[in-house]
Amino acid sequence: MTVREILADIKSDRKKKVVLDTDTFNEIDDQYALAYCYVCDKIDLVAVHAAPYFNDKSTSFEDGMLKSYNEIKKVLGLINPDYTTPVFEGSRTTVEVSGGIVDSPAARNLIEVVKNSDEIVYVLAIGAITNVISAIMMDPSIKDNMCVVWLGGNQLDSNNLGEFNLVQDFVGGQMLLNCGVPVLLCPAWFVTCVLTTNYENVCTLKGHNPLCDYLFEITDEVYHKAGARHDWIRTIWDIGAPAIIDHPDCAEIEVVPTPVFTDQRVYAFDSTRHEMLYLKSIDRDKVYAATWKALYSLDK
């Protein structure tokens, strides 16, 4: 499918097959996105893959991935103790660090899911792109039946490519934009950064169901670590990815020539390159209304 056909499909009402690729333990936003994906009527969540990350919440990329793997299972268990959605360990390092493809159960499962699907598979990548690009490099034929919705990079007119997901595996990001797979790029600054919440809003989750209580708990911890200020706000970036599938009217999406992530870590542009989808803006209020509705749907 061309990216223009994919855009039309995104805007359609049909239920979409989704693989979520997530560094779930890294922050608190992935947990919200995972729950949204699981309960959303317009998403068929066929698998969840743990993505690597390395920062002050992990001792290595492998440790970050394993912590995320366990967090995925914890969140799914809170939603439904009898969940059957398969969860796969991802890469134990990155393309940038290893210098090449990183084999993993997640990469192999992505290949299997896409090759066996009779419809396009949307890969919601809300962490480092290592699992996804490794799968594509292992079997390039899957590019024909998937679209990567990636929260990566910053606004196209920005001179700053220091966005966390991209920085975690910059070479992997370069490969993604160069390989020809259909991509919907969802920038952090100054696009998905509008997905902010405050403490008052988060408090409305408390007491609804075990998953909502857990989301409140982990957000409350961050709130108090930040000093419990009355003006505290937090961006829950990753809910943007499932929201685009669930409520495409929340998103302004353009078709643009695919840029390049240069070695100097800035964008470069060539109007002759293959096209991609680009999230120009997203409606914060629509996204939060849809997310909270999904979370409350778990009430007994």
Side-chain angles (χ1 to χ4, degrees), residues 11-29:
K11 292 180 178 180
S12 73
D13 287 332
R14 74 173 191 87
K15 192 171 186 175
K16 277 80 167 182
K17 285 186 179 180
V18 164
V19 172
L20 181 66
D21 195 271
T22 161
D23 57 347
T24 324
F25 196 75
N26 172 43
E27 291 196 62
I28 58 172
D29 49 345

Side-chain angles (χ1 to χ4, degrees), residues 99-113:
I101 292 170
V102 184
D103 197 353
S104 69
R108 291 187 175 275
N109 182 66
L110 182 55
I111 293 169
E112 181 178 353
V113 167

Side-chain angles (χ1 to χ4, degrees), residues 22-32 53 55-57 64 68 71 75 126 163-165 214-215 218-219 222 234-238:
T22 161
D23 57 347
T24 324
F25 196 75
N26 172 43
E27 291 196 62
I28 58 172
D29 49 345
D30 294 74
Q31 290 90 333
Y32 285 82
Y53 73 90
N55 62 9
D56 59 357
K57 293 190 68 175
S68 293
E71 184 74 354
V75 170
I126 55 177
E163 183 273 328
F164 182 82
N165 290 344
Y214 179 63
L215 294 177
I218 61 176
T219 311
V222 171
R234 179 79 176 198
T235 302
I236 310 295
W237 317 82
D238 292 340

